[in-house]
Amino acid sequence: PVEVTRNTLIGRGIWSQEQDDALTARLGEKIQASIQRVQAMPLPPPESLYDDVYDQMPPGLQQQRQALLAELS
């Protein structure tokens, strides 16, 4: 869909290849900066893997979380 829209806009003279190239470059820079920022952050604790998944954690996941915590201890 993106390619079709791009080609349609360029074909109608609403967008140009130069604009598209500039946008792609800008977005690539932003993506790389975001990746570097995230990679510089400390890793979350492994037990947080189970946080914010369910409003109330099912018993099976509670058991998995406890097993993980026991393994990490």
Side-chain angles (χ1 to χ4, degrees):
V2 173
E3 190 72 27
V4 171
T5 302
R6 177 186 305 120
N7 291 338
T8 300
L9 293 174
I10 291 173
R12 292 184 181 177
I14 299 170
W15 191 248
S16 71
Q17 188 61 52
E18 292 78 20
Q19 287 172 304
D20 196 68
D21 292 342
L23 177 63
T24 300
R26 278 196 321 268
L27 293 177
E29 290 168 4
K30 286 185 176 193
I31 290 169
Q32 287 304 315
S34 295
I35 290 170
Q36 290 175 358
R37 188 172 59 249
V38 169
Q39 288 177 334
M41 297 171 73
L43 292 174
E47 64 270 14
S48 71
L49 174 70
Y50 297 93
D51 295 345
D52 303 317
V53 177
Y54 294 98
D55 183 40
Q56 295 182 345
M57 191 180 302
L61 280 184
Q62 290 175 359
Q63 292 170 352
Q64 287 180 19
R65 186 172 199 258
Q66 291 304 322
L68 173 66
L69 292 174
E71 183 74 26
L72 295 175
S73 297

